[in-house]
Amino acid sequence: MNTTMIKKILNLFLKSNCPLCENPSDEYICSSCQRKLEDYRFNNCFRFWQGDLPVFIWGSYDGFLKLALARMKYDNYPQIGEEMGYFLAQSWLAQSFTSKIKNLVVVPIPLHPKKLQSRGFNQAEIIARGFCQLTGYSLELKGLLRVRETSPMFGLSREERSQNVLEAFTIGKSFLKRRPRDPILLIDDIYTTGTTVKEAAKILRFEGIEVLGVGAMATSKK
Ligand SMILES: [Zn+2]
């Protein structure tokens, strides 16, 4: 075997495999899968940035993006979430009015401790981490606390959804000690009807904390 061949083989081992297609890749998510994800990105991630609780959403909860989110959550690939946080941050920074916002406190929607234990990680927290790494905003993991276990939202009517998250959150330890001086950006992985984030924002605002809006990776909203 010549050295070029040895190098080639070594390189194959040194490269990690893309978690989405399992091909060897230099980047965590390979460039071909990144392009496939891009197909689901909204042309305007700020299309829902309006009203009482503006929402910034990266893409459509469909196809390859839906698959990637499921792979992260159910096949235990938390690092996919970090990459998604970078995507979210890139779109945030690409918009002139949001790129000018210098100070924000990013708060991921918490999981109930029981669910956190069974999954091992909170996907919203990992997305928020990636988002903050690129934007430089401060990350506050203990801004909110999930106090009540809720049933999965799928298949529930709008009214049942509201009942389901009613008093699901309370203000977390960090904010109890010291109210944040900067406005909050809530982060979640999937935005469905917004019932969960609205409830979270309500609790924070009730405590006199300013909430700017919500950032999410995907929505089925058209
Ligand atoms: Zn790939």
Side-chain angles (χ1 to χ4, degrees):
M1 221 187 292
N2 63 34
T3 45
T4 334
M5 246 175 114
I6 293 172
K7 265 188 193 159
K8 264 189 184 166
I9 291 170
L10 269 178
N11 215 2
L12 210 63
F13 285 108
L14 291 173
K15 278 185 182 179
S16 61
N17 290 356
C18 167
L20 300 176
C21 67
E22 284 168 11
N23 289 322
S25 167
D26 293 323
E27 293 165 280
Y28 181 69
I29 294 178
C30 77
S31 49
S32 140
C33 287
Q34 282 191 32
R35 273 196 301 275
K36 277 163 80 181
L37 285 170
E38 280 286 323
D39 289 343
Y40 294 91
R41 182 166 60 87
F42 291 138
N43 289 326
N44 176 14
C45 300
F46 291 88
R47 62 208 282 181
F48 304 113
W49 193 262
Q50 60 208 358
D52 183 44
L53 189 63
V55 191
F56 155 71
I57 308 177
W58 193 78
S60 163
Y61 186 55
D62 210 354
F64 201 63
L65 180 57
K66 188 174 177 176
L67 194 124
L69 285 162
R71 187 117 176 107
M72 154 179 76
K73 274 202 302 206
Y74 306 114
D75 296 335
N76 196 28
Y77 284 98
Q79 210 186 322
I80 294 176
E82 208 174 294
E83 297 285 323
M84 295 206 166
Y86 300 153
F87 296 162
L88 198 64
Q90 278 161 358
S91 297
W92 177 271
L93 295 172
Q95 186 76 22
S96 64
F97 82 91
T98 39
S99 67
K100 285 190 192 102
I101 303 174
K102 292 292 168 234
N103 299 306
L104 272 183
V105 179
V106 173
V107 176
I109 295 294
L111 286 181
H112 188 270
K114 258 192 204 162
K115 201 166 195 178
L116 182 63
Q117 206 178 19
S118 71
R119 185 171 295 155
F121 63 91
N122 173 6
Q123 67 280 2
E125 183 179 314
I126 295 178
I127 294 170
R129 210 181 279 279
F131 182 79
C132 288
Q133 268 176 37
L134 228 66
T135 56
Y137 295 140
S138 53
L139 178 65
E140 182 48 74
L141 301 179
K142 293 192 167 64
L144 279 168
L145 189 70
R146 200 149 189 152
V147 281
R148 216 164 56 77
E149 224 176 337
T150 50
S151 350
M153 287 290 204
F154 294 103
L156 297 184
S157 71
R158 189 170 282 267
E159 201 172 308
E160 285 169 328
R161 281 169 193 264
S162 314
Q163 280 297 322
N164 194 27
V165 290
L166 201 65
E167 286 161 16
F169 302 102
T170 179
I171 183 166
K173 267 187 213 154
S174 324
F175 288 171
L176 267 182
K177 261 193 236 157
R178 204 176 60 88
R179 296 288 191 270
R181 265 185 251 142
D182 299 317
I184 306 295
L185 181 75
L186 292 166
I187 296 277
D188 210 353
D189 57 339
I190 302 159
Y191 182 92
T192 316
T193 56
T195 318
T196 309
V197 285
K198 274 178 200 150
E199 189 65 25
K202 202 169 91 185
I203 297 294
L204 292 170
R205 285 171 173 168
F206 182 76
E207 296 287 339
I209 298 167
E210 190 191 340
V211 180
L212 175 76
V214 181
M217 237 6 246
T219 187
S220 38
K221 244 169 98 128
K222 294 290 170 219

